[in-house]
Amino acid sequence: MLDQLTYASEAALNGLMAGVMYSLVALGFVLIYKSSGVFNYAQGVMALFAALTLVGIQKGQVPFAHLINAVTGGHLETFGWQVPAVLAILLTIVVMIGMAIVIETLVLKHLVNQAPIILFMATIGLAYFLEGFGDVMWGADIKTLDVGLPQGINETIESVTDTWFGYGFFIDNLDIVAAIVSVALVTALTLFSQYSKQGRALRAVADDHQAALSVGISLRFIWVLVWSIAGFVALVAGIMWGSKSGVQFSLSMIALKALPVLMLGGFTSIPGAIVGGLIIGMGEKLFEFFVGPLIGGATENWFAYVLALFFLVFRPQGLFGERIIERV
């Protein structure tokens, strides 16, 4: 019995670490939803595109090399130099800001005061465009991402838990870094949203585009700002997931894991994205540990969605979401 509780504790701790990774993706969804009231279907693809761009810059890869070689018959691959990780991250941030400006100029400014479903459909088109554009720009092969983050089992935790429980917990250093980064991001974004002038303007835009415009808030600036921040969050998520499992096009599917997180935490709550991720991560690991063997396993594939469905029935706004009351 004691051994089972020890193993369950390790599963719960690993679940919390996995939940933090889910939350990193969910944060980007929350930011876009708070500024426009629209679910950004492209957030997962933004994480993929940011990771692809970071790897391409870091390795000195020639953009559109495959296309150029197909047209010219050449053999371009790289520029012949490597870019330090910190500089590559800064350049990728510049690319994501530029992408935000392009999205606002070519897409969002033409959809002011449109129905949310129109904006949602626009993000679906944007997702498929970015995925294809990333493929053409950087290639479709699986890439390794190394920005110097510590990886491997944390020996300190393994040693301490072995002393306390007689069994060492296997916790990845990368998951610990992701947890620290997530806490820092949530703290910074919450302070920004609640206490900065731009954060208050962001909430005003989410409530009513026309009313925000009437009091002098620049809708275009707010959208560029929030998509730039969402792009930065996508880059952080892309770094963590890419370092863990490689940069590949299935990375865009992590958005599906963020959906239950948002349903639990609330689409408008930044802290809720973290809490929802922790609940989902720990819940699916413990459910797999205790119930999985009884029903054939593979419960991690569907547990999060069943839990999210339960919340939709009994608390549709999520744990931290705002209850919206419309009077007719």
Side-chain angles (χ1 to χ4, degrees), residues 40-60:
N40 177 25
Y41 186 85
Q43 187 65 32
V45 183
M46 287 172 62
L48 167 65
F49 183 80
L52 286 172
T53 302
L54 175 58
V55 173
I57 292 175
Q58 191 176 11
K59 294 184 177 180

Side-chain angles (χ1 to χ4, degrees), residues 126-296:
L126 179 63
Y128 284 105
F129 171 78
L130 280 178
E131 188 167 354
F133 188 72
D135 184 1
V136 174
M137 189 173 185
W138 301 113
D141 53 310
I142 299 176
K143 299 171 175 61
T144 57
L145 176 58
D146 183 10
V147 293
L149 295 178
Q151 298 193 45
I153 303 301
N154 187 284
E155 296 180 358
T156 302
I157 293 178
E158 183 184 7
S159 175
V160 170
T161 53
D162 185 49
T163 302
W164 288 358
F165 304 105
Y167 173 78
F169 288 6
F170 298 121
I171 305 299
D172 197 316
N173 283 311
L174 183 63
D175 292 334
I176 298 174
V177 172
I180 295 171
V181 170
S182 296
V183 170
L185 267 179
V186 168
T187 302
L189 291 173
T190 300
L191 292 174
F192 170 79
S193 177
Q194 296 295 327
Y195 300 107
S196 71
K197 180 180 178 181
Q198 290 80 9
R200 291 191 293 270
L202 184 151
R203 299 201 306 274
V205 168
D207 289 336
D208 191 317
H209 291 176
Q210 292 293 354
L213 286 170
S214 68
V215 296
I217 296 175
S218 172
L219 185 60
R220 296 187 62 181
F221 171 75
I222 291 298
W223 273 353
V224 168
L225 176 64
V226 76
W227 278 78
S228 297
I229 297 174
F232 172 73
V233 173
L235 172 60
V236 174
I239 289 174
M240 297 303 172
W241 281 96
S243 299
K244 192 178 184 71
S245 56
V247 179
Q248 50 193 313
F249 276 77
S250 61
L251 185 65
S252 63
M253 301 306 292
I254 59 176
L256 297 179
K257 273 293 188 180
L259 281 174
V261 173
L262 293 167
M263 293 173 188
L264 262 68
F267 278 82
T268 58
S269 173
I270 292 174
I274 294 296
V275 175
L278 296 178
I279 293 174
I280 290 292
M282 184 172 65
E284 67 181 13
K285 293 293 185 183
L286 289 177
F287 192 82
E288 174 71 23
F289 181 80
F290 287 110
V291 182
L294 303 177
I295 58 177

Side-chain angles (χ1 to χ4, degrees), residues 5 22 43 62 76 78 104 126 169 193 208 213 217 283 307 319 324 326:
L5 289 177
Y22 301 154
Q43 187 65 32
V62 177
L76 285 174
T78 66
E104 192 283 328
L126 179 63
F169 288 6
S193 177
D208 191 317
L213 286 170
I217 296 175
L307 185 60
L319 292 172
I324 300 174
E326 293 185 1

Side-chain angles (χ1 to χ4, degrees), residues 299-313:
T299 62
E300 290 186 33
N301 295 329
W302 53 262
F303 170 80
Y305 300 97
V306 173
L307 185 60
L309 180 61
F310 178 84
F311 268 78
L312 284 176
V313 172

